[in-house]
Amino acid sequence: DNDNDDNDNDDDRKLLDQNGFFAFYTYIDELFENPAEEDEAEGENGDENENEKGQDMNEDDDLDLDDPIAESNRIKADLVSYLEEMTATAKLNKQLTCGLDCTDAQREVIYDLITSLATIISPVNLVTSTYTSTSTSTNKKKKMSETNAMGDWDLLYTCSHAMLINRSLSGLGRSTSAKAQFQGLRKRLSGSKYLGTAEYIETFGGSGSGSGSGSGSG
């Protein structure tokens, strides 16, 4: 009987430990997601930075701030169209995609489009969407939910110095073999709020050769 009681107590402790962990994790996580507490942590400097950003936006005459949703969608469409056209041209000229062989002029166009897209505070833009603080009545950036990032993401463009030098993410693209020519990179995000996994799938190949891929996760 004593042995059975000891086993029952061990099982209870395991359940309590597991439940206690999730309760503790949720409590800590809510500390960072609570808008009111974020307002207090940011202080006056954070408010001044947000006000300066708002002034910079209002001074931009090229953007239609009266309809941020339409303007955000327009710039996003222009950016995607430009990247797709650049990718098609690179493939036609047997160059590397994802910006690894693009010109400085092309990078400048992409940079301007991304800057304009990041400037517009639109509710359809998960990166720049805001909420109104109840304590200070100012706009604050929302935190993006992890569920919005889950899935497969294909790289369209990068200005990463490491990738430009290595001609790929892994460095295999620096090989002189035609079969090691970089063709694309996919990032696969999965998991939950408590545990996430990122898997990188890199594709290689060349003209007249088959393609292959390698992956790594973290």
Side-chain angles (χ1 to χ4, degrees), residues 99-174:
L100 297 185
D101 275 337
C102 73
T103 64
D104 291 339
Q106 290 174 319
R107 292 192 187 281
E108 186 174 351
V109 173
I110 295 171
Y111 175 80
D112 289 342
L113 288 170
I114 292 177
T115 301
S116 297
L117 190 61
T119 300
I120 300 176
I121 306 300
S122 169
V124 298
N125 190 331
L126 296 178
V127 178
T128 64
S129 58
T130 64
Y131 68 91
T132 302
S133 169
T134 56
S135 60
T136 61
S137 300
T138 57
N139 290 334
K140 302 292 182 181
K141 285 188 177 181
K142 286 184 179 179
K143 284 191 174 182
M144 187 171 64
S145 171
E146 66 279 353
T147 57
N148 296 128
M150 296 298 178
D152 291 354
W153 297 84
D154 292 326
L155 181 66
L156 295 180
Y157 171 78
T158 182
C159 59
S160 165
H161 292 293
M163 285 196 67
L164 293 177
I165 293 173
N166 293 323
R167 311 297 286 166
S168 61
L169 177 65
S170 62
L172 295 177
R174 298 184 66 178

Side-chain angles (χ1 to χ4, degrees), residues 64 67-81 116-117 120 122-125:
D64 183 7
D67 193 350
I69 294 179
E71 187 67 4
S72 180
N73 289 334
R74 181 189 67 80
I75 297 175
K76 179 182 177 180
D78 290 344
L79 175 60
V80 172
S81 176
S116 297
L117 190 61
I120 300 176
S122 169
V124 298
N125 190 331

